Amino acid sequence: QVQLVESGGGLVQPGGSLRLSCAAPGYNLNYYVIAWFRQAPGKEREGISCISSSSTDGSTLYGDSGKGRFTTSRDNAKNMVYLHMNNLEPDDTAVYYCATDGGRVCGRLHYVVFDIWGQGTQVTVSS
């Protein structure tokens, strides 16, 4: 079964940027839908973005929390999926996860749909 590994989290000042990475050692991520979620303490896990597999049109969709400041992309050669986050705000502080449902095309961006998760990476936005 594919295992996902996130990296790139850390402490950033308000207004700053981060790029999170999602890898799947030993598996070809290009075949799978990859979504990004985040969960802040005491809050429900919320969907940020989803990117369809490279074997389809590779289309993306965004949840409300991801629109405008966040973008997701693939690097097929490096077998990686990224979440680019700009103009970060303190409310963006959360643990960020990548996930897949094993499918090819993004559908419903809700955590109940996805059954394979990474361990998460902490993002803290603070001055």
Side-chain angles (χ1 to χ4, degrees):
Q1 177 171 316
V2 63
Q3 291 183 318
L4 302 177
V5 180
E6 305 93 340
S7 61
L11 174 64
V12 62
Q13 292 187 340
S17 298
L18 277 178
R19 187 186 74 172
L20 305 183
S21 301
C22 180
Y27 290 86
N28 190 337
L29 266 186
N30 300 331
Y31 292 147
Y32 300 103
V33 160
I34 297 295
W36 286 96
F37 288 80
R38 69 183 183 185
Q39 188 165 22
K43 294 188 177 181
E44 187 173 275
R45 192 167 295 191
E46 60 178 349
I48 300 170
S49 66
C50 183
I51 186 166
S52 294
S53 79
S54 299
S55 63
T56 67
D57 62 0
S59 60
T60 56
L61 65 86
Y62 293 90
D64 289 342
S65 61
K67 292 177 181 175
R69 297 182 294 120
F70 296 178
T71 58
T72 188
S73 65
R74 289 183 183 273
D75 185 328
N76 292 333
K78 294 184 178 179
N79 196 30
M80 300 283 277
V81 173
Y82 301 109
L83 180 67
H84 308 265
M85 306 187 295
N86 298 312
N87 195 22
L88 285 161
E89 304 169 351
D91 283 348
D92 295 317
T93 296
V95 178
Y96 285 70
Y97 301 89
C98 61
T100 186
D101 60 1
R104 299 287 189 264
V105 178
C106 293
R108 184 182 177 206
L109 187 57
H110 192 281
Y111 68 85
V112 298
V113 174
F114 295 83
D115 54 359
I116 299 173
W117 295 82
Q119 81 288 351
T121 186
Q122 176 71 46
V123 172
T124 302
V125 184
S126 175
S127 55

